[in-house]
Each structure stands twice: as structure tokens, then as C-alpha cells.
Amino acid sequence: MEVDVQPRPGAQSEFTLPRLFGRYLLLDRIGRGGMAEIFLARATGELGAARRVVVKQIVPQYSFDPLFTKSLIGEAKLASRLSHNNIVRVLDLGREDGRLYIAMEYVEGFDLNQLLGRLSRRRIPLPLEFALLIVRAILCALDYAHRAVDQNGTPLGVVHRDVSPANILVSLEGEVRLCDFGIARAFAPEAPDPDEPQLESAMLAGKGWYTAPEHARGHDVDARSDVFAAGVLLWELCAGRRMFKRDDRSWSDPNRAFVIPELPDRGLPELDRLTHILTRAQAFDPATRYQSAREMLDDLENYALSTQLMASQLRFGTFLSEHFGAAFAEQRKQREHAADAALAAWGERVEQTDTAPSSSANESGARPVPQAPQWLPPEPLLRQPPRRRAEPTLRTLRGPDLPELDAELLQPNARRWLLPAGIVSVVVLLLLWLLLS
């Protein structure tokens, strides 16, 4: 999710990786935008279980904005309630070193922008069946999120506001997931003055090419605004190109008359039926649009069934593996090597810190004992053997709470005197026998 916002000087700090950031070890910077820096990180639980996560560090000009902070916390709390196969889960939200951050699931793969770019460079068209699969997966995610309720059955009112290729992740296994639910709203909260134009907020809260007309006008948005964005996405995947050029700002005109361009002639089956789905999804008036993601999903699935274009995740994964499997394997290898090197470098740094003489000493001359980093797993070599419980003795049992002691406890060493006593008894009996004889 990128927005054309210029950060103030020094807002995006440079630092050496790996770096400990709260309970996360940042391994690699995998993205950067005007609103956040994105890192591949490692999180380690109390029992040593480690997992890869994505940590989004919010840039300082937003991190210190109280209005933004309040909005982000509210939206992230809503997003953390969502658990669906087609949604990237929000795992954590917090503040560390003065920076707000969001930790999310790590999906190894491409975002849809990257995937389409690789296909374009190799001149490989995206088969229509897989284009429909991607949009169907996004509609499944939207339908679930729009219908989500709290523990009392009250609708959460979740609206994504930024359904776009940059927020759609695709794994090599053919998984399609939608990320950043509601986060766009935090970066463009409603203007406090009702008379203030909200067009700039609409620009920030979603990419213009996928922004519904009511959103561009600063009006209230609901699930139908996400349906509009899904319609634009479907048009682009079917056409094989963008609906609007990057420098086209006609979408930002509040008085625009939105016209859906005709699909290029690519031999698409039942074109009239597909055009009807696109027209209804992108209707200018929300009242004439699909009223829910489920409605659009039903029509799209019926179209896929009737045209025999109902693809599966398995087939999509096979397509991706055939064309990008080697590149994926190389990317994974480089990431693993980079992560291993980062961890090794961090371990050496920690070891040097532990073994180096400290310049600070207390009054008695003793130097402080270095603490182990929190991210290190409790490996067996790091574990301390369990302490044996001390045997109760008279010394340890003094005081008012002294329990009633038995004879064996009072004579804990009685057994070791048995042998000498036996020897003495034998000697005494032998002497008496000699005297009597």
C-alpha cells in the first residue's frame, strides 16, 4: 500500500540489519513506501518456537499523530478479528522506539502487481480462468469481512477501502490473500471540519484507479465501495492492461461521468454476460451496484461454471510453479542465506558484547552480568539444570513455623553409626569370653 506522501527529512531512518525491535528481530527490508517500512522479521515465543512475520513500521510523521494513532488502533483491532483463508492475519500492534508497528502473517510469494509485471516481461498472458480465480478469492475475503460480527452479534462494519493489486498476495501454492484491511482509513481519517473538502482524504485512503465515485466525493463508504474496486480489478485482469493510465487523474473529478471502457477483443467466452457483471460491479450509483460481494461472487462463479473456467488453487499453483518455480526457489534461497547470515552476525555481536570487558563497574568493582537477548530461543545448552530441593534439617526448620519432627528427621545420620557400633559390640563380647575362660 503506497501513497504519494513525502516524509519529512530523517523520517525513514537507516540502520544496520539485523536489528532487535521489541520482541521481533528484523532480518531484511522487503518494502518501503510513504507510510511505512516493511521488514521480514523473526518472532520467537517463550518456549522457543520461531516463525517468520512481516513487521510494518509506520513512519514518524504518522506515528506521532494522535488522530492517526487512534484511527490505526481502532482499524487494526477490527482487522485482528478476521480469520479467513483469503485474508492475511494481523498478529500484533504496538509502539516501539517511538514507532507504531503492525505485525502480520508472512506470505511467501508476490503481490499481484509483481506477478503481473513478471508475466508481462515474459510475454505470458494470464489465463482467464486464473484471473477469475483471483477475483473470486478476493470476493470471498470481502464477503467474510463485510459480514463479520462481534461476540454480541453486532456487525463490525469492516470496509477495506484499498482493494488493489499491491494488497493482494499470491503464493507459489496458488493461495490468494487480501491484506491491510481498513488500514487505509487510518492514513486518511475523516476531516474534522464537515465543510472541508475530503477529496485529498479519498486519495490517501485508496488508490485512485480503484476508488468508487462516492469515495472520491468524500461521502460515506460501505461494502459496495469494495465491490466497485473488485470490478475494476476484474476488468484489468480480463483486459490484460490497466483501466486508467498512471497519470490519469480523471477519477479525482467529483463531477466525472464514469464510463467503463470496452474490453479489448481477446476472444473471451460469453462476452455479453461478462460485460454485464463488470457493468453492474462498477455502477456509478451504489444503489444500482451489486449490494454485496456475495452477489457478485455468485454471478462470477456461475459464469466460470458455464464457460468451464472454474480453476482450482492447485491448478493455479501448478501454473505459477511452471513459470516461476526456479525464480521462487532462488529467491527463497537468497532470503534464507540472508536470514542465516543476519542471525549469525547478530549472534557474534551478542557474544562480543557478553565477553567484552564492561567499562562500567559498580563501587565494589564487580561488572554487571550481560543479559541474554530476548529473541534467543531457550536451547538446551542455555537451560539451567533444575535446582534440587534442599533436604530439611534443623537449621532450615527453625522459627515459629517449625513443623512437628519425627525421630528419623532428628537423627538424619543415625545409619552411619550402625557399623562402628556393631564392631564395638563384637569386641566387647570377645573380651568377656576371654576373661571368663
Side-chain angles (χ1 to χ4, degrees):
M1 186 168 58
E2 298 179 359
V3 174
D4 187 15
V5 176
Q6 296 298 326
R8 65 189 181 190
Q12 293 178 340
S13 58
E14 297 291 342
F15 47 77
T16 303
L17 296 174
R19 176 175 178 261
L20 197 62
F21 182 74
R23 55 190 292 261
Y24 303 100
L25 182 67
L26 307 182
L27 300 175
D28 187 20
R29 181 184 282 106
I30 58 178
R32 172 182 287 176
M35 298 183 296
E37 291 180 283
I38 307 172
F39 297 90
L40 175 63
R42 175 179 175 179
T44 304
E46 295 181 358
L47 299 181
R51 65 181 301 184
R52 297 288 171 87
V53 299
V54 170
V55 174
K56 284 192 173 184
Q57 284 188 358
I58 309 302
V59 295
Q61 63 261 40
Y62 286 116
S63 293
F64 295 102
D65 184 339
L67 180 62
F68 166 80
T69 300
K70 180 180 179 180
S71 181
L72 178 66
I73 292 175
E75 293 297 326
K77 284 183 177 180
L78 289 180
S80 65
R81 295 172 177 261
L82 305 179
S83 178
H84 190 271
N85 291 336
N86 299 117
I87 294 177
V88 179
R89 292 198 63 186
V90 174
L91 304 175
D92 190 16
L93 170 68
R95 187 189 296 273
E96 187 71 28
D97 298 335
R99 298 281 293 272
L100 284 173
Y101 70 88
I102 302 172
M104 302 182 297
E105 279 184 296
Y106 172 55
V107 179
E108 187 180 32
F110 310 111
D111 66 41
L112 188 55
N113 261 339
Q114 295 170 335
L115 175 60
L116 296 177
R118 290 176 181 244
L119 288 171
S120 177
R121 287 190 293 272
R122 295 191 181 190
R123 298 186 180 279
I124 302 173
L126 179 66
L128 181 58
E129 57 181 318
F130 300 138
L132 299 180
L133 171 69
I134 292 172
V135 179
R136 287 193 291 112
I138 298 307
L139 290 172
C140 284
L142 292 174
D143 174 60
Y144 167 82
H146 294 161
R147 293 185 296 104
V149 297
D150 62 14
Q151 61 271 18
N152 298 321
T154 304
L156 295 177
V158 176
V159 181
H160 191 286
R161 291 178 171 82
D162 193 13
V163 178
S164 60
N167 288 328
I168 298 172
L169 306 183
V170 180
S171 76
L172 195 62
E173 302 299 324
E175 299 171 299
V176 179
R177 295 192 181 188
L178 186 59
C179 67
D180 284 355
F181 259 92
I183 304 303
R185 180 181 181 182
F187 288 94
E190 288 77 3
D193 183 359
D195 297 328
E196 181 180 344
Q198 297 187 12
L199 178 58
E200 188 69 18
S201 294
M203 290 173 56
L204 294 177
K207 297 174 181 63
W209 314 290
Y210 306 93
T211 303
E214 67 275 12
H215 195 177
R217 286 165 169 74
H219 298 166
D220 292 338
V221 299
D222 55 25
R224 296 171 295 182
S225 299
D226 287 343
V227 170
F228 180 93
V232 176
L233 179 67
L234 176 62
W235 190 98
E236 293 183 341
L237 293 179
C238 292
R241 65 176 177 84
R242 291 187 179 275
M243 179 178 287
F244 300 102
K245 296 181 180 179
R246 288 186 176 273
D247 57 352
D248 185 357
R249 302 292 296 235
S250 62
W251 62 268
S252 62
D253 182 4
N255 299 315
R256 68 175 176 175
F258 185 78
V259 178
I260 303 175
E262 292 186 3
L263 285 172
D265 185 7
R266 300 182 63 192
L268 301 176
E270 299 187 25
L271 183 58
D272 292 342
R273 188 174 178 182
L274 180 59
T275 301
H276 171 74
I277 295 175
L278 291 169
T279 303
R280 189 176 176 193
Q282 300 176 76
F284 185 86
D285 184 1
T288 59
R289 201 178 299 161
Y290 284 112
Q291 297 301 291
S292 68
R294 172 64 64 86
E295 284 188 28
M296 182 178 175
L297 178 61
D298 288 341
D299 279 0
L300 197 59
E301 287 192 340
N302 290 333
Y303 171 78
L305 287 171
S306 65
T307 55
Q308 298 183 353
L309 293 173
M310 181 64 79
S312 66
Q313 176 185 319
L314 181 62
R315 291 180 59 186
F316 188 33
T318 301
F319 170 81
L320 294 173
S321 297
E322 290 176 353
H323 293 288
F324 305 110
F328 241 99
E330 182 63 25
Q331 179 184 2
R332 183 185 297 114
K333 181 179 179 181
Q334 292 177 359
R335 282 260 170 89
E336 291 296 332
H337 283 332
D340 292 342
L343 290 174
W346 184 265
E348 291 177 1
R349 195 182 310 167
V350 172
E351 184 177 354
Q352 292 174 1
T353 302
D354 291 344
T355 58
S358 175
S359 59
S360 60
N362 55 28
E363 296 180 356
S364 62
R367 292 186 173 89
V369 179
Q371 300 295 322
Q374 296 179 357
W375 62 267
L376 284 175
E379 299 178 359
L381 294 178
L382 300 178
R383 293 175 181 164
Q384 297 294 330
R387 295 183 177 181
R388 296 183 60 186
R389 188 174 180 179
E391 292 288 342
T393 62
L394 286 177
R395 290 184 179 181
T396 61
L397 295 175
R398 289 177 181 173
D401 298 327
L402 179 68
E404 184 178 355
L405 304 180
D406 54 26
E408 184 178 357
L409 183 61
L410 290 172
Q411 299 179 1
N413 298 322
R415 292 184 178 180
R416 72 178 186 176
W417 295 103
L418 293 179
L419 182 59
I423 295 175
V424 171
S425 300
V426 171
V427 172
V428 170
L429 291 176
L430 182 60
L431 290 175
L432 290 177
W433 181 77
L434 292 174
L435 291 174
L436 294 176
S437 61

